[in-house]
Amino acid sequence: KALGVNKSFSEHAEDFEKAHDASKAIKKNEAKIRDLKEKTGMSEKQLANTESGKGLYANRKTLTDTLAQHDARAALDAAQLHGHDLP
């Protein structure tokens, strides 16, 4: 409520489950990005210009949007979660 969210208990429970699933998916996606960076020796900006990187970064954005939609605290940091310094 302090963040301006007025939902029922069941709505909060559903949001928690979806946010939890998105968080787990984000961790898996970030591990793939980290592995690709290690294998290629490229920076995040360089990877963002490859087909593999574009897919991973698009997935990052989708997943962080999902997390922000279901977690009010994450919504406050959505730009940071997206990796706002990437193209």
Side-chain angles (χ1 to χ4, degrees):
K1 290 187 178 190
L3 294 173
V5 179
N6 296 311
K7 294 184 177 183
S8 69
F9 180 80
S10 62
E11 288 171 321
H12 280 294
E14 183 179 335
D15 277 348
F16 174 81
E17 187 68 33
K18 289 180 180 180
H20 179 70
D21 291 345
S23 178
K24 290 191 318 188
I26 288 169
K27 287 178 184 175
K28 287 181 184 179
N29 193 66
E30 291 302 312
K32 289 178 184 178
I33 290 171
R34 192 173 42 255
D35 289 345
L36 189 58
K37 283 173 51 179
E38 288 176 8
K39 287 179 185 174
T40 63
M42 293 181 170
S43 69
E44 286 201 14
K45 287 185 179 186
Q46 291 170 323
L47 280 177
N49 292 317
T50 67
E51 288 303 313
S52 299
K54 286 178 187 177
L56 290 170
Y57 292 119
N59 196 32
R60 174 194 270 174
K61 182 178 182 332
T62 300
L63 292 169
T64 56
D65 285 345
T66 300
L67 179 62
Q69 181 182 2
H70 297 288
D71 184 333
R73 293 170 302 162
L76 299 174
D77 289 330
Q80 182 181 7
L81 293 170
H82 284 164
H84 62 284
D85 59 337
L86 295 175

